[in-house]
């Protein structure tokens, strides 16, 4: 590759394609759950948590394919992985917030009640652990304050962490 040609556009283009694509798929999953009468904020929401890490590795693999024969190198592979994870998490979190606004406060309240019921069902497990009573009370208190912003933030953090966690080994493996 000539020195005057910057590799940054290929990193950015690849990260945008895979990151935004994965975030949109996560959002479409929530919309599908909502339209089919399922709880979009319940346990089924977590079925797409693997998509951002998968998009990270796929973007690193694609960057390796379009790079010169010596490969993209560790820095570019890490950059595309981290940027893909960030874009996927951001797009997905915006989708969660949008679906929460579209579903309305009554759906959030129904989801909150279901989460509290699940937590109350596992109360005995909490109480068997040291400090479990305090942990249980914090969990119930946290669930009672669930709102659209909190769900979007939770979604962003989880997907970003999972994506970043996989971007390092993916970058090391796919750097050449």
């Amino acid at each position: 590759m000539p020195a005057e040609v910057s590799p940054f556009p290929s990193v950015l283009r690849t990260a945008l394609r895979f990151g935004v694509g994965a975030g949109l798929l996560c959002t479409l999953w929530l919309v599908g759950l909502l339209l089919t009468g399922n709880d979009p904020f319940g346990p089924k929401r977590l079925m797409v948590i693997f998509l951002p890490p998968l998009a990270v590795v796929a973007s690193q693999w694609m960057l390796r394919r379009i790079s010169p024969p010596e490969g993209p190198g560790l820095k570019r592979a890490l950059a595309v992985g981290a940027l893909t994870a960030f874009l996927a998490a951001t797009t997905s979190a915006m989708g969660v917030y949008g679906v929460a606004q579209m579903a309305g406060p009554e759906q959030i309240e129904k989801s909150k009640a279901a989460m509290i019921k699940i937590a109350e069902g596992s109360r005995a497990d909490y109480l068997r652990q040291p400090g479990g009573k305090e942990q249980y009370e914090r969990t119930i208190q946290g669930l009672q304050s669930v709102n659209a912003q909190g769900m979007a933030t939770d979604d962003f953090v989880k997907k970003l962490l999972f994506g970043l966690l996989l971007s390092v080994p993916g970058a090391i493996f796919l750097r050449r």
Side-chain angles (χ1 to χ4, degrees), residues 36-157:
T36 58
N38 290 299
D39 182 8
F41 310 115
K44 289 181 183 177
R45 171 180 71 134
L46 297 176
M47 291 178 72
V48 292
I49 199 142
F50 70 91
L51 278 177
L54 185 64
V56 164
V57 173
S59 69
Q60 290 170 330
W61 176 77
M62 180 59 76
L63 184 67
R64 181 179 178 185
R65 277 193 57 213
I66 63 176
S67 292
E70 65 270 1
L74 185 61
K75 287 181 187 177
R76 279 185 243 142
L78 274 173
V80 78
L83 192 55
T84 301
F86 178 75
L87 290 170
T90 302
T91 306
S92 178
M94 290 185 330
V96 167
Y97 184 78
V99 169
Q101 294 301 317
M102 188 172 67
E106 59 277 346
Q107 179 65 46
I108 294 173
E109 289 301 318
K110 284 184 355 189
S111 297
K112 188 188 309 186
M115 288 186 276
I116 289 173
K117 187 175 181 179
I118 290 170
E120 287 173 346
S122 62
R123 183 173 188 219
D125 295 332
Y126 278 103
L127 296 178
R128 277 187 240 136
Q129 301 172 5
K133 183 178 181 197
E134 294 80 19
Q135 177 73 23
Y136 173 76
E137 290 168 358
R138 281 193 303 269
T139 300
I140 295 295
Q141 198 173 38
L143 288 174
Q144 290 172 344
S145 64
V146 167
N147 58 22
Q149 295 91 349
M151 287 189 289
T153 302
D154 181 58
D155 186 75
F156 175 79
V157 168

